[in-house]
Amino acid sequence: MEGEINNFIMVWASIYASICYCYGIAKSVPEGLARLFAYLPVVILFIILPFNLYSLHLGGTTALFITWLANFKILLFAFGMGPLSDPSLPLSHFFVLACFPIEVQANPSPKNPQGVDEPPNFVPNGKNLGKPPANGHTKLSVTRKTSSIGLKPPSYYVKKALLLSFLLSLTLYKDRLHTKAFMVIHCVCIFLGLECMFAGVATLVHVLLGLEFEAPFNDPYLSDSLQDFWGRRWNRMVSSILRSAVYNPILRNFSRTFGIKGAFNLAILVTFFVSALMHELMFYYMGRTRSKWGCTWFFVIQGLCYVVEDVLRRKFTVTWRLPRLMTGIIIFGFEIILFSWLVIPELLGFNADARFLEEYMAVVKFMMSLGQAWKGKGYYLLVNVEASWTKLNQLMRNML
């Protein structure tokens, strides 16, 4: 554990130095190919660094933050785009925006501070879906309202964390659970874990720097369509980066060749395929095993279903809608079933469930040893946590 933490510190020291280099280069090198070539060593370094970490928590998180999100942001910044392109950013803000899955909150609408009525971000403006102008130049705009969805109250995430702890305790008894039930529990644990982790990072940075951030998730179980789920509810930070780095450039550059509808379909499919490849890379960092490509098939199917849904939506006019609760169950249920079928077996292939719990207990014991050495209150708090965890396991054993 201590060796992994030392590696983690060294990796993040390298990351900080690299971000400082990017920040300084931007002051003297103009945006474009020159800045891109100056940033390529950093991009390559960010791909290599996660190989120095072997734990799911530290290695997987670092790979997601740096190899995927930070690299995409840096590549966008090389051309003067993305969240780092504001020249007034101080180094501290530049660093956290580059390295963490956070997005500064836009000014919320006074009438709708939670942004509930925001349309899916992937949908092109309907006015542009007709024939291009006679002069052959296609004016393209993408529907992108900036109504803001801020972080939810702390009590919301505390409840999610408690539910996550309860579900994790269930996974200890997978031999007594039905295989499908076990996989569904894992799906929900991954969702809850991601939401709590992203919200925790945003809250920590808010406390340190005083910035307001967008909510990383927006109740994906209330989605009324795949467009709603992927466009504005699920992992909104990753969706925003993919939209800027993949979707928008394809939509702009291929609209004249394939038309707006064709470019839209192509942009959606390529975006999901890029997301699939990045997920495969994240899994490789965590497991260091050969991929079975289940994750790729998951996102390919998602992209195809997304395009089919959009075609049907435009072809058939629906004058009625199912209740949101029912559509949420259908959409979220579809995601859980497909994820359980294609992705969870890959995670279980490198014992992600057992390793996660082992690392959790290793962290608790490590913190207890530090607390015992310091004779502080933190030691007694961690003792109570371990005792509560033991009691919860015993309770679940009796129930099952």
Side-chain angles (χ1 to χ4, degrees):
M1 186 67 192
E2 293 182 8
E4 182 76 356
I5 291 178
N6 290 334
N7 290 340
F8 180 74
I9 294 173
M10 293 301 298
V11 165
W12 275 90
S14 301
I15 291 169
Y16 180 75
S18 300
I19 295 300
C20 290
Y21 164 79
C22 293
Y23 185 79
I25 284 292
K27 304 297 183 181
S28 56
V29 179
E31 61 190 49
L33 291 179
R35 188 185 292 182
L36 174 63
F37 284 121
Y39 285 169
L40 281 181
V42 174
V43 173
I44 296 172
L45 178 64
F46 283 2
I47 295 174
I48 296 173
L49 283 177
F51 285 111
N52 295 290
L53 302 171
Y54 297 92
S55 65
L56 292 179
H57 291 79
L58 301 182
T61 302
T62 299
L64 172 62
F65 289 5
I66 302 305
T67 307
W68 186 346
L69 297 180
N71 269 349
F72 275 47
K73 293 175 185 177
I74 289 172
L75 292 174
L76 285 170
F77 183 50
F79 296 96
M81 299 183 294
L84 305 179
S85 58
D86 183 357
S88 64
L89 287 176
L91 178 59
S92 58
H93 293 188
F94 186 88
F95 175 77
V96 298
L97 289 177
C99 295
F100 299 118
I102 52 180
E103 184 176 12
V104 177
Q105 184 178 6
N107 294 327
S109 170
K111 296 182 179 180
N112 187 16
Q114 293 299 316
V116 176
D117 297 324
E118 179 186 1
N121 289 324
F122 274 154
V123 183
N125 191 320
K127 297 180 181 179
N128 294 322
L129 292 177
K131 297 181 180 180
N135 59 10
H137 297 287
T138 305
K139 183 179 180 181
L140 178 66
S141 65
V142 179
T143 299
R144 180 76 160 88
K145 290 190 178 181
T146 58
S147 54
S148 178
I149 305 174
L151 290 173
K152 297 181 183 294
S155 59
Y156 174 87
Y157 298 108
V158 170
K159 294 176 183 177
K160 291 291 183 72
L162 292 175
L163 178 59
L164 174 62
S165 299
F166 173 74
L167 294 177
L168 285 175
S169 67
L170 287 179
T171 62
L172 295 174
Y173 311 102
K174 62 180 180 181
D175 54 330
R176 303 185 185 184
L177 295 171
H178 192 279
T179 303
K180 294 182 179 178
F182 178 73
M183 290 186 172
V184 169
I185 291 173
H186 259 288
C187 290
V188 179
C189 285
I190 290 173
F191 158 60
L192 293 174
L194 285 174
E195 183 172 19
C196 292
M197 178 182 69
F198 282 25
V201 171
T203 301
L204 178 61
V205 177
H206 166 70
V207 172
L208 294 176
L209 300 180
L211 298 175
E212 298 290 340
F213 298 106
E214 297 281 350
F217 293 82
N218 181 26
D219 299 330
Y221 42 83
L222 296 179
S223 304
D224 59 9
S225 65
L226 290 177
Q227 291 182 355
D228 189 29
F229 181 88
W230 291 109
R232 67 175 183 178
R233 292 188 179 273
W234 176 261
N235 210 341
R236 300 170 66 238
M237 176 65 232
V238 174
S239 295
S240 177
I241 292 299
L242 287 172
R243 185 180 305 114
S244 300
V246 182
Y247 172 81
N248 286 343
I250 292 177
L251 193 63
R252 284 195 302 265
N253 294 322
F254 289 91
S255 59
R256 187 180 302 179
T257 304
F258 299 109
I260 301 300
K261 293 181 181 180
F264 168 72
N265 294 336
L266 177 64
I268 289 297
L269 294 175
V270 173
T271 300
F272 274 101
F273 184 68
V274 171
S275 179
L277 295 181
M278 296 309 299
H279 278 84
E280 293 285 2
L281 181 59
M282 298 302 106
F283 281 15
Y284 184 77
Y285 283 126
M286 292 187 290
R288 310 293 166 90
T289 57
R290 181 177 297 181
S291 174
K292 298 179 181 178
W293 302 107
C295 195
T296 298
W297 279 111
F298 172 80
F299 283 98
V300 168
I301 293 173
Q302 291 292 329
L304 292 173
C305 291
Y306 191 109
V307 170
V308 170
E309 179 190 76
D310 181 71
V311 170
L312 294 177
R313 180 191 295 268
R314 298 184 185 285
K315 187 173 183 180
F316 301 101
T317 302
V318 179
T319 57
W320 57 274
R321 285 191 175 187
L322 293 172
R324 182 173 290 274
L325 178 61
M326 187 174 297
T327 57
I329 293 175
I330 294 173
I331 297 299
F332 202 62
F334 170 73
E335 300 296 340
I336 288 179
I337 292 172
L338 199 60
F339 194 86
S340 301
W341 174 39
L342 295 173
V343 181
I344 292 297
E346 288 203 25
L347 292 173
L348 299 180
F350 53 84
N351 298 320
D353 55 332
R355 288 174 57 192
F356 181 88
L357 293 174
E358 289 175 2
E359 291 174 11
Y360 172 81
M361 295 308 301
V363 170
V364 171
K365 291 179 180 179
F366 177 75
M367 296 301 293
M368 286 178 62
S369 65
L370 292 180
Q372 189 174 19
W374 293 336
K375 299 297 183 179
K377 296 181 179 180
Y379 167 68
Y380 300 102
L381 175 62
L382 289 169
V383 168
N384 291 332
V385 169
E386 185 181 38
S388 300
W389 179 262
T390 304
K391 291 180 181 178
L392 180 59
N393 290 341
Q394 185 62 41
L395 176 62
M396 297 310 305
R397 189 184 298 276
N398 295 336
M399 291 176 61
L400 295 174

